[in-house]
Amino acid sequence: MEDKRNIPIIEWEHLDKKKFYVFGVCMTMMIRVSVYPFTLIRTRLQVQKGKSLYNGTFDAFVKILRSEGAAGLYRGFLVNTFTLISGQCYVTTYELTRKYVSKYNNSNVVKSLVAGGSASLVAQSITVPIDVVSQHLMMQRDGETMGRFRVQYQDCKRNVVFGQTKDIITQIFKADGLRGFYRGYVASLLTYIPNSAVWWPFYHFYAEQLSRLTPRDCPHLLLQAISGPLAAATASTLTNPMDVIRARVQVEGKNSIILTFKQLMAEEGPWGLTKGLSARIISATPSTIVIVVGYETLKKLSLRPELVDSRHW
């Protein structure tokens, strides 16, 4: 008789929603603080022409730290924290879609694929305007800029962060109107919907495969902590080409995904599509471990009181 071992999944109906959202915001904020420098580095690597400024992830990290200080690694961070809203919308949509799909199909892969894609669609509709502003702030380099817009530095340190953000928003609106805040929206959907749709099925696939290869007493959380980074590396590799194009469309003000792709291929060849991949995987690995362990722990902490002792999670 085949000895199959299934990792239990906590579904939406098992959760205390109040705990879930409070713990979720705190967890997401901690993750953002830890991985934001690599998000900034990835964006700069993707936007730069060839290797005009940085030779790679580590080189970019050292140069930014030396020339701009630790604060340089967190340019645009305050604006980016508003994506916490989209993060909560993402997990809500993901869990509710899984619940809805389960009425028609019990396959974990199908539920994860549909729910991940749907959640990303909702989240990106909220995130793109925030990303556009924060990415232009990421491009500022002590009086210089790698993008279309350059902030006017102010003498009053108290107003530096909010002043620069307001300056960028004003410049985007003057140049492109409201549409400017949704520049690259389609490219973002083509990046993050596949990324999310691929990540969840691979996550459950790796977890199931590892559960068959490891002893029965191996903690579920350990298997999930290993499966998350493997899924993230897989999804990042598959979607990085579109992520490079997305970054260039949003920062450089391009209007065409196809023309941006052709220009990138003409200037840098196929290797241009891998720009920022190592930074993306480096940021994804620790953040995914935290997300997976944190998210699964979050759901356990958020179980409805009557279910805490009644099921083996």
Side-chain angles (χ1 to χ4, degrees):
M1 182 176 178
E2 186 180 2
D3 182 21
K4 288 190 176 181
R5 177 184 173 208
N6 295 318
I7 296 178
I9 297 174
I10 300 174
E11 300 290 3
W12 180 253
E13 60 269 21
H14 305 139
L15 301 176
D16 179 322
K17 309 306 186 293
K18 184 177 179 180
K19 288 182 180 179
F20 181 73
Y21 285 117
V22 171
F23 291 145
V25 169
C26 295
M27 183 193 76
T28 306
M29 190 63 179
M30 288 189 292
I31 294 169
R32 294 288 170 83
V33 171
S34 64
V35 304
Y36 189 82
F38 290 100
T39 301
L40 181 143
I41 289 170
R42 180 195 79 197
T43 304
R44 288 195 180 185
L45 289 174
Q46 291 175 337
V47 171
Q48 73 170 353
K49 302 296 183 183
K51 295 183 178 181
S52 57
L53 293 172
Y54 312 113
N55 292 319
T57 302
F58 182 73
D59 182 57
F61 180 83
V62 172
K63 286 181 177 177
I64 293 171
L65 199 59
R66 284 177 179 172
S67 62
E68 304 173 45
L73 294 168
Y74 283 89
R75 291 187 187 275
F77 176 74
L78 190 61
V79 175
N80 193 262
T81 58
F82 284 100
T83 57
L84 288 172
I85 300 170
S86 66
Q88 297 311 301
C89 291
Y90 178 94
V91 295
T92 301
T93 305
Y94 177 78
E95 295 294 347
L96 287 175
T97 305
R98 275 184 64 90
K99 181 180 178 181
Y100 178 76
V101 175
S102 66
K103 297 177 182 178
Y104 304 96
N105 194 308
N106 285 322
S107 169
N108 205 33
V109 173
V110 173
K111 288 191 289 185
S112 299
L113 184 70
V114 176
S118 301
S120 191
L121 173 62
V122 172
Q124 285 306 304
S125 297
I126 302 170
T127 300
V128 169
I130 301 169
D131 268 350
V132 168
V133 175
S134 66
Q135 284 182 146
H136 280 295
L137 288 168
M138 289 178 191
M139 296 299 103
Q140 308 305 313
R141 299 176 54 247
D142 287 339
E144 301 178 2
T145 182
M146 296 172 63
R148 297 168 66 202
F149 307 116
R150 176 179 175 179
V151 298
Q152 302 299 317
Y153 286 85
Q154 302 176 25
D155 295 330
C156 180
K157 292 184 178 180
R158 186 183 63 180
N159 294 325
V160 167
V161 175
F162 294 106
Q164 291 181 6
T165 302
K166 181 181 177 182
D167 193 15
I168 287 294
I169 291 173
T170 301
Q171 290 185 55
I172 293 172
F173 183 74
K174 285 182 178 179
D176 303 322
L178 290 175
R179 291 181 59 187
F181 296 99
Y182 274 91
R183 185 177 292 279
Y185 177 66
V186 173
S188 291
L189 294 181
L190 292 176
T191 300
Y192 292 112
I193 289 180
N195 187 84
S196 183
V198 166
W199 190 92
W200 287 101
F202 270 111
Y203 165 59
H204 290 298
F205 169 77
Y206 288 132
E208 288 170 4
Q209 296 306 309
L210 287 171
S211 72
R212 293 188 175 97
L213 298 172
T214 54
R216 289 185 60 82
D217 59 352
C218 184
H220 291 156
L221 209 57
L222 177 60
L223 300 181
Q224 291 163 332
I226 296 172
S227 303
L230 290 175
T234 304
S236 295
T237 302
L238 292 173
T239 61
N240 197 71
M242 183 54 70
D243 193 41
V244 175
I245 294 170
R246 174 199 61 81
R248 294 202 168 194
V249 167
Q250 291 181 331
V251 174
E252 296 179 355
K254 307 287 188 181
N255 291 316
S256 170
I257 294 174
I258 296 175
L259 291 179
T260 303
F261 171 75
K262 289 181 178 179
Q263 182 182 359
L264 179 63
M265 291 295 288
E267 292 176 352
E268 304 183 44
W271 284 109
L273 297 173
T274 67
K275 298 183 76 171
L277 178 59
S278 60
R280 195 175 177 199
I281 292 176
I282 289 171
S283 65
T285 300
S287 65
T288 303
I289 292 174
V290 174
I291 288 171
V292 170
V293 174
Y295 188 60
E296 296 298 339
T297 303
L298 166 66
K299 292 207 290 187
K300 290 177 183 178
L301 291 173
S302 303
L303 275 171
R304 300 203 326 260
E306 65 270 24
L307 296 175
V308 172
D309 298 319
S310 63
R311 299 186 65 166
H312 296 292
W313 304 108

